[in-house]
């Protein structure tokens, strides 16, 4: 069984499921936003027999997670607590307990992950990304992460407001914050850095933005013209881009060091032709890249998931767990 952790409304999930269904492979979707209001989890450990059972239930089905061979950690949504819990302290406690239970469930699950949630969470940490990118040989922009307004001002004075980009560590549906040039904002806003750390980076003048979608060992690369304007993350029209073998090896090394199977790497092709690492998104979108370039990314991801189901069925086959004598008897027909 393939388990996808996302929502039914996710267009990327729908695209992969359609491909899998055409090949006779089914995928079950688990939406964490249904937990704990509409879904219940039960973990049962048999103390004397070493048995372990994990059941995820809703009002229509019981899902035995022991049957799950492959998990696609696509785009999980946050838990939705019961509305009758109104006290903020109780709500915080309940949410933490839900997190602890589900995180432990994932760790106890014997499955192939794309990607494991712990690796995905680690890989999203910008300081960690930048360090690993440097270690595998990529150049990165000069970067300052701080909540010290004086250090922020010194960085801006060094590179100039018109050549400084600021980014948030995270975004949500309610607090979407794109990367922007600092020159579009009053300098007095640097005082607000004291409330929470901000990422400041040297702006890289570029001809193109490069996106590399990594699916297992397969790489799908596309470039778009680097657009002018305050919003650095705006993407123009995309077209396929050939990667040199050496560059492809660097990308694979980055993904491997981060412990990932899937991810979208964003780089800028500087005016001198040098690729500069910007970020890696372990849950990044690919449909727009596929639609504009024709690169078969959905097919590659669906095939990866399906192939791992088949691989784990073979690995878990009782034949492979037989002793030497039993294997000899099996092969000799005794």
């Amino acid at each position: 069984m393939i388990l996808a952790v996302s929502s039914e409304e996710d267009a990327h999930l729908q695209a992969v499921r359609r491909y899998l269904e055409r090949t006779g492979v089914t995928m079950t979707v688990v939406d964490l936003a249904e937990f704990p209001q509409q879904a219940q989890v039960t973990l049962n450990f048999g103390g004397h027999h070493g048995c372990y059972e994990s059941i995820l239930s809703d009002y229509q089905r019981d899902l035995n997670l022991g049957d799950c061979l492959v998990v696609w950690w696509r785009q999980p949504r946050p838990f939705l607590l019961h509305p009758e819990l109104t006290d903020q302290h109780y709500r915080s406690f309940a949410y933490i307990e839900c997190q602890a239970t589900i995180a432990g469930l994932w760790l106890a699950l014997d499955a192939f992950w794309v990607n494991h949630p712990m690796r995905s969470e680690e890989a999203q940490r910008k300081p960690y990304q930048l360090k690993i990118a440097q270690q595998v040989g990529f150049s990165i922009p000069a970067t300052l992460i701080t909540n010290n307004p004086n250090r922020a001002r010194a960085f801006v004075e060094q590179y100039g407001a018109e050549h400084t980009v600021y980014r948030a560590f995270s975004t949500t549906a309610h607090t979407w914050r794109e990367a922007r040039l600092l020159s579009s904002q009053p300098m007095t806003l640097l005082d607000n850095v004291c409330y929470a750390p901000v990422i400041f980076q040297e702006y890289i003048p570029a001809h193109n933005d490069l996106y590399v979608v990594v699916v297992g060992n397969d790489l799908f690369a596309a470039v778009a013209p680097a657009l002018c304007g305050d919003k650095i993350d705006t993407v123009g029209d995309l077209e396929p881009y050939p990667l040199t073998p050496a560059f492809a090896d660097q990308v694979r090394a980055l993904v491997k060091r981060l412990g990932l199977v899937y991810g979208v790497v964003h780089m800028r092709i500087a005016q001198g032709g040098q690729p500069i690492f910007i970020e890696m998104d372990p849950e990044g979108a690919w449909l727009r890249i596929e639609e504009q370039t024709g690169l078969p990314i959905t097919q590659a991801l669906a095939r990866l998931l399906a192939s791992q189901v088949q691989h784990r069925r073979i690995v878990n086959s009782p034949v492979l767990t037989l002793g030497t004598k039993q294997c000899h008897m099996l092969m000799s027909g005794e």
Side-chain angles (χ1 to χ4, degrees):
M1 178 177 69
I2 298 174
L3 185 71
V5 184
S6 188
S7 68
E8 293 283 358
E9 294 77 24
D10 178 17
H12 292 73
L13 180 145
Q14 294 170 5
V16 171
R17 180 157 61 182
R18 283 193 297 269
Y19 186 92
L20 288 171
E21 288 176 347
R22 288 197 296 269
T23 61
V25 179
T26 59
M27 182 168 65
T28 301
V29 180
V30 168
D31 187 352
L32 294 183
E34 296 179 353
F35 180 75
Q37 282 194 46
Q38 299 169 277
Q40 302 85 41
V41 64
T42 301
L43 308 180
N44 186 15
F45 291 84
H48 298 292
H49 305 289
C51 67
Y52 166 65
E53 180 184 52
S54 55
I55 302 293
L56 190 63
S57 308
D58 57 23
Y59 297 110
Q60 298 177 338
R61 62 179 178 176
D62 281 350
L63 183 64
N64 185 353
L65 296 181
D67 297 332
C68 177
L69 300 176
V70 174
V71 185
W72 179 24
W73 187 257
R74 162 55 197 150
Q75 203 167 59
R77 299 200 296 176
F79 309 126
L80 290 181
L81 300 177
H82 289 272
E84 55 265 32
L85 271 179
T86 57
D87 184 280
Q88 189 57 48
H89 295 292
Y90 290 154
R91 290 184 66 83
S92 296
F93 175 76
Y95 201 93
I96 292 171
E97 293 298 285
C98 288
Q99 281 184 318
T101 301
I102 296 300
L105 168 61
W106 299 144
L107 285 171
L109 202 59
D110 183 17
F112 178 85
W113 287 85
V114 182
N115 298 298
H116 194 284
M118 292 187 68
R119 303 290 84 76
S120 181
E121 182 179 354
E122 291 170 356
Q124 292 185 63
R125 306 302 183 191
K126 294 299 190 293
Y128 183 49
Q129 285 187 10
L130 293 170
K131 178 181 178 180
I132 299 302
Q134 282 187 313
Q135 289 180 349
V136 300
F138 286 127
S139 296
I140 66 171
T143 303
L144 175 73
I145 301 172
T146 187
N147 68 328
N148 184 318
N150 292 330
R151 292 186 182 274
R153 288 192 189 90
F155 186 89
V156 174
E157 289 173 2
Q158 179 179 357
Y159 293 98
E162 68 281 3
H163 291 100
T164 300
V165 175
Y166 68 99
R167 302 174 180 272
F169 281 94
S170 59
T171 59
T172 67
H174 302 292
T175 57
W176 177 257
R177 295 182 175 89
E178 300 169 296
R180 293 174 179 263
L181 281 171
L182 189 61
S183 58
S184 64
Q185 302 295 330
M187 291 300 101
T188 54
L189 287 181
L190 289 176
D191 292 333
N192 294 341
V193 167
C194 68
Y195 299 119
V198 176
I199 304 170
F200 296 94
Q201 288 187 311
E202 169 194 9
Y203 172 69
I204 305 297
H207 291 300
N208 292 297
D209 281 294
L210 170 64
Y211 300 89
V212 184
V213 183
V214 183
V215 183
N217 201 47
D218 296 329
L219 305 182
F220 303 92
V223 291
L227 301 180
C228 298
D230 296 334
K231 297 181 179 180
I232 305 303
D233 290 338
T234 303
V235 180
D237 294 332
L238 293 148
E239 60 182 37
Y241 184 81
L243 300 178
T244 65
F247 184 84
D249 287 343
Q250 278 185 291
V251 173
R252 292 189 181 99
L254 171 70
V255 173
K256 183 178 181 180
R257 286 286 305 277
L258 291 172
L260 303 177
V261 178
Y262 170 87
V264 180
V265 181
H266 175 204
M267 308 192 78
R268 301 209 94 192
I269 307 298
Q271 292 178 348
Q274 182 184 19
I276 309 295
F277 175 85
I278 302 299
E279 63 181 349
M280 151 70 88
D281 187 349
E283 299 166 16
W286 76 85
L287 280 183
R288 183 183 176 191
I289 296 174
E290 182 173 78
E291 289 166 357
Q292 293 192 9
T293 64
L295 294 170
I297 304 171
T298 297
Q299 173 182 299
L301 183 53
R303 286 182 172 179
L304 173 65
L305 296 171
S307 68
Q308 287 299 322
V309 170
Q310 183 63 26
H311 172 72
R312 294 189 70 82
R313 282 175 178 163
I314 294 173
V315 169
N316 295 337
S317 170
V319 173
L320 297 183
T321 63
L322 294 173
T324 304
K325 181 178 179 180
Q326 291 171 301
C327 287
H328 173 75
M329 293 172 62
L330 181 66
M331 290 185 289
S332 63
E334 297 180 24

